[in-house]
């Protein structure tokens, strides 16, 4: 019992690493739709106003495949624009721009048990940037000169549209997400506000389903998990390329 409690407390600490290592917006927390009353439950997913799809952010309409090279090994991942169109679209757009080339995996958590490897802070491209400050950067969109933040986007089982701007609990949704945190999941790191993800992402080293419904999974590693398992803190992404499905990236799509 004591061992189980210690493991739970340790997992709570490393889970906070995803939050604290996420992108920290400079502005106040973005507003979100009001949560349903605590007494509201649903046997099927509810469809709150926050499920409306945001516009002005690249979208992935369908699938795409990316290849990420680390220490000479290739990690191939399939991104799911059907269930995470905004989150996957943002990632594909950043890969296509070359944003991830040369960036560091600044956080690797394997103890007390395998958890995640996390990278994607644009500040890490500078080899002289203090390592202890990594995890606070975001992607600045050259078109606007401002950081680009991505709304939290989670598609519940049985739903036709994702829930935006809220965790599933906050939205009163009892269904599980379609994209879960199984081993090899790609998901977006963020700070405390739900809509604070930008470029930082993580790959799960094990099934960590206690994160389901709170963070946006947008794809899975299909080949190269042995490379992911060898990543150490400080390893750089040599290259990241879209190898399939780039035609599914829509940068001017409007919400329907």
């Amino acid at each position: 019992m004591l061992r189980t409690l210690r493991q739970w407390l340790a997992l709570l600490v490393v889970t906070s690493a995803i939050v604290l290592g996420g992108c920290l917006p400079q502005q106040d927390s973005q507003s979100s739709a009001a949560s349903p009353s605590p007494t509201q439950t649903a046997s099927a997913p509810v469809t709150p106003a926050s499920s409306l799809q945001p516009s002005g952010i690249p979208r992935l309409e369908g699938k795409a495949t990316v290849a990420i090279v680390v220490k000479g090994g290739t990690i191939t991942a399939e991104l799911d624009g059907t269930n995470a169109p905004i989150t996957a679209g943002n990632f594909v757009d950043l890969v296509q721009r070359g944003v991830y080339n040369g960036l560091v995996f600044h956080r690797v958590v394997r103890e007390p048990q395998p958890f995640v490897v996390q990278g994607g802070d644009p500040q890490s491209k500078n080899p002289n940037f203090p390592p202890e400050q990594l995890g606070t950067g975001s992607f600045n969109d050259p078109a606007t000169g401002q950081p680009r933040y991505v709304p939290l986007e989670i598609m519940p089982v049985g739903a036709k549209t994702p829930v935006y701007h809220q965790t599933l609990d906050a939205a009163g949704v009892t269904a599980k997400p379609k994209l879960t945190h199984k081993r090899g999941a790609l998901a977006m790191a963020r700070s405390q506000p739900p809509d604070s993800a930008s470029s930082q992402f993580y790959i799960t080293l094990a099934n960590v389903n206690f994160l389901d419904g709170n963070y946006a999974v947008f794809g899975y590693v299909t080949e190269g998990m042995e490379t992911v398992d060898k990543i150490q803190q400080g390893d750089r992404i040599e290259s990241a390329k879209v190898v399939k499905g780039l035609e599914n990236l829509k940068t001017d799509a409007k919400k329907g």
Side-chain angles (χ1 to χ4, degrees), residues 152-167:
L152 182 61
E153 174 184 58
I154 302 175
M155 177 77 82
V157 172
K160 294 182 179 179
T161 58
V163 170
Y164 287 99
H165 314 298
Q166 302 179 89
T167 65

Side-chain angles (χ1 to χ4, degrees), residues 27-172:
Q27 72 272 19
D28 294 335
S29 301
Q30 301 179 35
S31 61
S32 61
S35 301
S37 87
T39 59
Q40 180 175 342
T41 58
S43 57
V46 297
T47 306
S50 60
S51 68
L52 296 178
Q53 298 172 352
S55 61
I57 302 175
R59 295 172 48 82
L60 185 67
E61 298 180 352
K63 305 282 188 180
T65 303
V66 298
I68 302 170
V69 178
V70 182
K71 298 174 71 173
T74 299
I75 303 163
T76 303
E78 184 178 77
L79 311 184
D80 189 342
T82 300
N83 293 305
I86 299 295
T87 313
N90 174 69
F91 190 82
V92 171
D93 180 63
L94 296 183
V95 169
Q96 184 64 12
R97 290 171 181 263
V99 169
Y100 290 115
N101 297 340
L103 299 192
V104 163
F105 283 96
H106 62 273
R107 179 170 286 109
V108 176
V109 182
R110 290 196 173 89
E111 298 295 338
Q113 58 192 49
F115 187 47
V116 302
V117 297
Q118 182 177 332
D121 184 341
Q123 298 172 127
S124 67
K125 187 164 287 190
N126 178 1
N128 297 318
F129 191 84
E132 65 274 10
Q133 295 181 26
L134 291 177
T136 61
S138 57
F139 167 67
N140 286 321
D141 192 334
T144 63
Q146 300 295 322
R148 179 204 286 171
Y149 297 114
V150 183
L152 182 61
E153 174 184 58
I154 302 175
M155 177 77 82
V157 172
K160 294 182 179 179
T161 58
V163 170
Y164 287 99
H165 314 298
Q166 302 179 89
T167 65
L168 293 192
D169 279 347

